[in-house]
Amino acid sequence: MRCVIARYPFDLSKSGVLASMKGVTPEIVTGESVTIGRRRYPVKQVGEVVTRQDRRDFTGGEVVRAMARLGFTCHAHPDATPVRVAAPLAASSVAASLAASSALLGGAHLDE
């Protein structure tokens, strides 16, 4: 299958990717990943091995798109859970925290 990664055309096949990744030890997955055979590889590692280009030359999305079209299973970022934002502190708790901190540092009390 013909695909473009980092503005260069590549003719990739599923068997060719399997052969390229054979014997390659997977790095620790910290972002998007691809399952090739029984192993899970970071997409940047797969792109580097398959295209022989520097990882800075292509995006993970380009590799994910190509690997998905070839039939490999692609995974999102492992920590892709929604981020909860802490509620803002009430003004009274901020004043109390400031007073306690000031007292611990030997400063004047705000209540005086």
Side-chain angles (χ1 to χ4, degrees), residues 87-99 110:
L89 295 173
S92 61
S93 68
V94 171
S97 297
L98 183 60
L110 296 176

Side-chain angles (χ1 to χ4, degrees), residues 69 75 78 98 102:
R69 285 178 58 195
H75 309 276
L98 183 60
S102 180

